[in-house]
């Protein structure tokens, strides 16, 4: 009996709902259609209470069509201002390819912020190798295509060469360097790691830009030796309130020669900016803070270098060996040594029988051994890393220029 009552109640509910729906449909049919409002009255209700804004009369030069045919000229001041803004944002020179409509959107670089414990000591165990694994998908398009991905030698990011071209970070003259070195011991740095200026905080970048402005350095321009020397004199007067000595001038000219790797009498803006950025890091950051900037790959290379120099396995090397290691961070990639897979960041001892030790490299080592003083002090792993960290960071850019020359 209860079941029969439940079915009866369900039928009654369905009938009531059907009646309500039918009544609602009948009401919509009997409802008159809404009157169409004029197009002028389709503005929001809030706008009807506001008085119309006065329209300024157009001058002849501002009439439609007049300004579109003749764009306002860009003066030199505006061009320099845009260059300063790109420098502040860490973007550098804007490639011409970015103006095309089919370009991918370049990443927005965010300058780092220092943590309160940046200057605290940090222990990097020598025996433990981190052995980082590269990412599996392209950093830009997030697609996996196996052998077509090119890894960065500093971080774990990987990229497609086509994606890099679409981003404007790879051109025809740099494509060959990427394809020939990315999968070798020489390696290739991605656009994140190549630009060491991105390591500066906003405060450090502001200080560097103010120095450029006071010395009338024009961003994105090449510098000749006289301009470079004048800038160094200005910085010396600002920081130490004295002129450079003759010996210091020789060191400045030696650094200029190291930056002018093509020996054309001028240095590129990017090389000058990277050099000055490294000096800012060296001035304002502690060694512990700089060590925190190293990637796992860089730490593993430094460990391999120290272990290679520690022949008797007592955990100590000499100060002279530290200097030699710092200089070998700058064994730049050349066509002669390319087949030998000599790493641009290789800091270990290179045997005399190696092809990389022949020619100019061998003569350079002899000159180094003849000019450096014998440093017999004992250096452990942690001290070695603190003394070498700034030169490890200086070896990140792909440019063949030596952005921070170690002292002889």
């Amino acid at each position: 009996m209860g079941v029969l009552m439940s079915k009866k109640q369900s039928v009654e509910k369905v009938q009531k709902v059907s009646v309500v729906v039918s009544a609602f449909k009948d009401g919509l049919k009997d409802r008159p259609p809404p009157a169409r409002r004029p197009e002028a009255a389709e503005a929001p209700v809030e706008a009807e209470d506001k008085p119309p804004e006065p329209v300024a009369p157009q001058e002849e030069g501002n009439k439609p069509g007049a300004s579109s045919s003749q764009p306002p000229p860009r003066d030199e001041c505006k061009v320099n201002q845009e260059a300063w803004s790109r420098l502040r944002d860490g973007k550098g020179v804007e490639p011409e390819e970015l103006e095309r409509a089919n370009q991918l959107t370049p990443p927005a670089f965010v300058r780092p912020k220092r943590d309160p414990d940046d200057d605290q000591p940090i222990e990097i165990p020598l025996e433990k190798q981190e052995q980082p694994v590269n990412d599996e998908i392209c950093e830009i398009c997030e697609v996996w295509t196996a052998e077509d991905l090119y890894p960065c030698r500093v971080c774990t990011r990987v990229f497609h060469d086509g994606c890099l071209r679409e981003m404007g970070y790879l051109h025809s003259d740099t494509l060959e360097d990427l394809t020939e070195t990315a999968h070798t011991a020489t390696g290739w740095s991605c656009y994140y790691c190549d630009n060491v200026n991105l390591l500066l905080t906003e405060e450090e970048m502001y200080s560097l830009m103010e120095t450029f402005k006071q010395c009338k350095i024009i961003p994105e321009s090449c510098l000749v030796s006289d301009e470079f020397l004048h800038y160094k004199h200005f910085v010396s007067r600002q920081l130490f309130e004295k002129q450079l000595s003759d010996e210091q001038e020789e060191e400045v000219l030696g650094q200029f020669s190291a930056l002018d790797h093509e020996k054309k009498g001028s240095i590129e803006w990017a090389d000058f900016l990277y050099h000055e950025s490294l000096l800012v890091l060296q001035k304002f950051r502690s060694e512990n803070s700089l060590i925190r900037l190293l990637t796992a790959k860089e730490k593993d290379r430094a460990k391999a270098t120290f272990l290679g120099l520690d022949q008797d396995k007592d955990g100590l090397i000499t100060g002279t060996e530290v200097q030699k290691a710092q200089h070998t961070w700058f064994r730049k990639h050349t066509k002669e040594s390319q087949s030998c897979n000599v790493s641009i960041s290789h800091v270990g001892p290179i045997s005399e029988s190696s092809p990389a030790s022949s020619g100019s490299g061998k003569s350079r080592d002899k000159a180094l051994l003849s000019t450096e003083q014998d440093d017999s002090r004992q250096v452990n792993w942690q001290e070695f890393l603190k003394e070498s960290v700034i030169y490890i960071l200086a070896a990140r850019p792909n440019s063949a220029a030596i952005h921070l020359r170690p002292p002889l």
Side-chain angles (χ1 to χ4, degrees), residues 24-39:
F24 179 73
K25 292 182 177 180
D26 295 339
L28 291 179
K29 293 179 180 180
D30 299 338
R31 185 177 178 181
R36 292 182 56 86
R37 300 175 61 186
E39 296 181 358

Side-chain angles (χ1 to χ4, degrees), residues 3 18 30 40 48 50 64 79 125 135 161-162 168 190 215 224 245 256 284 297 306 308 388 404:
V3 176
S18 301
D30 299 338
E48 295 178 357
K50 296 182 181 180
V79 174
D135 298 341
D161 57 340
C190 67
C215 199
V224 297
S245 62
F256 179 87
F284 292 105
K297 290 183 179 181
F306 184 86
S388 304
L404 192 63

Side-chain angles (χ1 to χ4, degrees), residues 143-176:
V143 174
W144 178 82
T145 54
E147 68 276 1
D148 293 335
L149 290 171
Y150 294 94
C152 174
R153 62 183 176 86
V154 178
C155 64
T156 59
R157 301 182 184 93
V158 293
F159 301 85
H160 292 123
D161 57 340
C163 293
L164 290 171
R165 286 196 299 268
E166 290 296 321
M167 292 283 286
Y169 290 112
L170 190 63
H171 309 280
S172 57
D173 54 342
T174 56
L175 176 60
E176 182 180 357

Side-chain angles (χ1 to χ4, degrees), residues 197-309:
N197 178 256
L198 296 177
L199 299 175
L200 301 186
T201 63
E202 292 184 359
E203 295 79 11
E204 293 167 342
M205 191 61 214
Y206 177 80
S207 174
L208 182 60
M209 288 174 58
E210 287 299 312
T211 305
F212 287 165
K213 291 180 180 179
Q214 293 176 12
C215 199
K216 298 180 180 179
I217 297 294
I218 302 176
E220 304 172 7
S221 61
C222 298
L223 278 77
V224 297
S225 58
D226 291 341
E227 294 173 331
F228 187 74
L229 186 60
H230 173 73
Y231 172 80
K232 292 296 184 179
H233 272 291
F234 174 81
V235 173
S236 179
R237 290 194 302 268
Q238 290 292 106
L239 298 180
F240 308 106
E241 297 182 354
K242 62 179 182 180
Q243 295 284 350
L244 294 176
S245 62
D246 294 341
E247 181 179 356
Q248 290 173 329
E249 283 191 359
E250 291 182 1
E251 294 179 359
V252 169
L253 294 177
Q255 179 62 71
F256 179 87
S257 177
L259 291 172
D260 182 20
H261 57 96
E262 294 182 355
K263 307 304 177 186
K264 57 183 180 181
S266 62
I267 56 179
E268 298 294 332
W269 166 254
D271 293 328
F272 172 71
L273 178 62
Y274 295 168
H275 165 70
E276 292 299 321
S277 300
L278 291 167
L279 292 182
V280 170
L281 290 174
Q282 195 176 33
K283 174 184 176 183
F284 292 105
R285 303 283 189 97
S286 64
E287 293 171 341
N288 292 321
S289 177
L290 295 178
I291 291 176
R292 297 179 190 276
L293 298 177
L294 297 179
T295 63
K297 290 183 179 181
E298 291 173 324
K299 294 175 188 176
D300 283 354
R301 292 194 194 103
K303 293 174 185 178
T305 299
F306 184 86
L307 293 174
L309 294 172

Side-chain angles (χ1 to χ4, degrees), residues 106-170:
F109 295 115
V110 179
R111 293 199 173 274
K113 294 183 179 180
R114 296 193 59 184
D115 296 330
D117 59 345
D118 268 359
D119 298 327
Q120 298 298 322
I122 178 173
E123 292 293 331
I124 306 295
L126 176 61
E127 296 78 12
K128 182 180 179 181
Q129 291 285 333
E130 300 186 31
Q131 297 180 346
V133 179
N134 290 328
D135 298 341
E136 295 182 354
I137 59 177
C138 175
E139 176 72 14
I140 300 174
C141 68
E142 299 183 353
V143 174
W144 178 82
T145 54
E147 68 276 1
D148 293 335
L149 290 171
Y150 294 94
C152 174
R153 62 183 176 86
V154 178
C155 64
T156 59
R157 301 182 184 93
V158 293
F159 301 85
H160 292 123
D161 57 340
C163 293
L164 290 171
R165 286 196 299 268
E166 290 296 321
M167 292 283 286
Y169 290 112
L170 190 63

Side-chain angles (χ1 to χ4, degrees), residues 78-122:
K78 185 176 180 181
V79 174
N80 291 340
Q81 185 177 5
E82 293 177 353
W84 282 115
S85 64
R86 289 194 293 269
L87 176 60
R88 180 187 64 251
D89 297 336
K91 294 183 179 179
V93 181
E94 294 287 349
E96 296 179 358
E97 286 78 5
L98 291 179
E99 298 178 359
R100 298 202 303 258
N102 61 345
Q103 286 292 339
L104 298 174
T105 304
F109 295 115
V110 179
R111 293 199 173 274
K113 294 183 179 180
R114 296 193 59 184
D115 296 330
D117 59 345
D118 268 359
D119 298 327
Q120 298 298 322
I122 178 173

